[in-house]
Amino acid sequence: MNRSDGLLVLNVTDAQIATYVSGFILYGVEGFILAVSNFLITLVVFVYSDLRQQKEYIIVAGLAFANGLQGFPYILSGVGRIVMIRAGNGFELVSRWQCFLKTWNFIWLFAGTWQDTTLLMVSIDRFIAVAFPLRYFSYSTRYAYLLNFLAYVGALPPLIVGAVISYSYQKPEVAAICYFQSGMSDGNFQFRNILRFCITIVSLALYVPILILLQKTIITGQSIDERQTAAQISRLKKVTITLAISAFFVLIFSVIPDIILMLNVFSDNLPLYLIGNGNEIAYIFIYSLRFKDIRQGLISLFLLRPLKNNNTAIAPRQTLTRA
């Protein structure tokens, strides 16, 4: 409808506004939990050198950072939308380009893709680790930083393409509260969802050959008498199984909700959007339960004390014969 100042606004009832506000509060709370839980993992790895020297933890920290960054748009959008609604301009019509430039949408468009590419890099890392274990043991931490960098670079093209497409949409047509999809064209939003779904499926599908090769590597490792190599294979097994468990949570909390969203089963998709972040929030519990050194790192971080050397970290062997 036309407002007295000539602006076009959506006609919403008080009941609808109350529903919007309650949903945005949930967005903010979940975003806060998502950011804090994942940034704690990243912080622990980079504060303590014993953890920072392990390439597996650097890769895990990269994934945690991308997940934590994804929490910020939920916090910003929750707070920002409520402020706009209270100020009376939340339902003014704006262009998709204006929505694209909203801080929470810009971060979300980048961080969401960064999550996907980092998840793929984690799966690629596990495949390399179990397919070529002796060679993998010789890799330095630069290998882990390279994978994290490639994940970052891979997140840039969709953001750039999205900006170019959204710039052409200058006509006011969406509410100023700017949902994430409001900053994109309908076609680009659908393409992004399909791309995200495909990357996630490939990342999870890789765990089938990964687990098969892991069993072969374990059998091979049992015939090795060298103590350090046997310990490295034991560590390889633990890290791979832990990340496979994490992948299962991605299947439950991300892939299945995405399929339901694409099938448009429900009229209210807010619960599915909230459930979609469940696997990222669960990571801190999975890692702290499965990795003693990360668990001790979290405890030491909270107590503001140095990390005790428990000899669980195994430095990469630079002199190991390559396979």
Side-chain angles (χ1 to χ4, degrees):
M1 65 180 183
N2 284 315
R3 206 165 59 183
S4 58
D5 56 6
L7 292 175
L8 288 174
V9 297
L10 293 179
N11 188 12
V12 293
T13 65
D14 291 340
Q16 288 174 316
I17 290 176
T19 301
Y20 280 121
V21 170
S22 62
F24 298 150
I25 291 174
L26 291 175
Y27 267 31
V29 171
E30 184 176 48
F32 178 79
I33 297 172
L34 182 61
V36 170
S37 61
N38 281 277
F39 281 148
L40 276 175
I41 297 172
T42 306
L43 187 61
V44 163
V45 172
F46 284 96
V47 163
Y48 297 113
S49 60
D50 285 349
L51 304 183
R52 197 169 61 248
Q53 292 170 4
Q54 304 306 308
K55 52 185 174 289
E56 300 93 339
Y57 288 154
I58 292 173
I59 295 170
V60 165
L63 177 60
F65 184 83
N67 292 336
L69 185 62
Q70 181 75 336
F72 271 97
Y74 282 90
I75 298 171
L76 294 174
S77 65
V79 174
R81 289 166 180 169
I82 292 174
V83 169
M84 294 176 70
I85 290 174
R86 297 306 185 195
N89 55 12
F91 297 100
E92 295 175 0
L93 293 186
V94 298
S95 68
R96 291 184 183 271
W97 174 241
Q98 288 175 289
C99 276
F100 180 90
L101 295 177
K102 288 288 186 183
T103 305
W104 57 77
N105 277 345
F106 192 82
I107 297 175
W108 178 78
L109 288 169
F110 175 70
T113 308
W114 196 5
Q115 273 184 314
D116 303 334
T117 54
T118 307
L119 183 66
L120 178 60
M121 290 302 161
V122 170
S123 298
I124 291 174
D125 168 72
R126 286 300 89 197
F127 182 84
I128 294 173
V130 298
F132 314 101
L134 297 182
R135 183 176 300 175
Y136 182 82
F137 296 151
S138 70
Y139 291 164
S140 69
T141 55
R142 282 186 291 183
Y143 155 83
Y145 286 114
L146 176 62
L147 287 187
N148 284 338
F149 176 73
L150 290 176
Y152 168 81
V153 171
L156 292 176
L159 180 68
I160 296 171
V161 171
V164 172
I165 295 175
S166 296
Y167 182 75
S168 63
Y169 288 82
Q170 300 284 349
K171 179 183 177 181
E173 57 178 310
V174 293
I177 54 175
C178 288
Y179 281 111
F180 296 136
Q181 62 265 36
S182 299
M184 311 170 69
S185 68
D186 292 338
N188 190 27
F189 180 68
Q190 293 174 1
F191 172 77
R192 186 196 175 281
N193 285 341
I194 293 173
L195 178 64
R196 177 176 184 267
F197 183 78
C198 290
I199 292 176
T200 304
I201 289 297
V202 171
S203 302
L204 300 185
L206 277 173
Y207 278 94
V208 175
I210 285 171
L211 293 176
I212 294 174
L213 289 170
L214 175 63
Q215 184 62 28
K216 178 182 176 181
T217 300
I218 293 172
I219 294 174
T220 303
Q222 290 173 348
S223 63
I224 298 177
D225 294 330
E226 192 175 352
R227 183 177 178 182
Q228 185 170 7
T229 303
Q232 287 174 321
I233 290 177
S234 176
R235 177 182 175 81
L236 173 65
K237 173 185 174 182
K238 187 166 189 175
V239 172
T240 303
I241 292 177
T242 300
L243 294 176
I245 293 172
S246 301
F248 176 76
F249 276 79
V250 173
L251 174 65
I252 298 299
F253 289 103
S254 182
V255 174
I256 293 178
D258 279 351
I259 292 174
I260 297 174
L261 282 170
M262 286 188 290
L263 293 176
N264 198 22
V265 176
F266 303 113
S267 57
D268 182 11
N269 291 323
L270 176 61
L272 293 175
Y273 287 123
L274 296 176
I275 290 172
N277 293 316
N279 57 292
E280 289 93 347
I281 294 174
Y283 284 161
I284 190 170
F285 300 103
I286 297 173
Y287 297 153
S288 60
L289 288 173
R290 294 281 302 173
F291 297 135
K292 182 180 179 182
D293 33 5
I294 284 186
R295 181 169 66 252
Q296 290 183 341
L298 287 169
I299 295 172
S300 298
L301 186 67
F302 280 116
L303 297 178
L304 300 178
R305 70 186 186 190
L307 179 64
K308 293 181 179 180
N309 185 5
N310 53 29
N311 296 320
T312 59
I314 301 173
R317 296 180 62 194
Q318 303 298 335
T319 59
L320 187 66
T321 304
R322 293 182 178 270

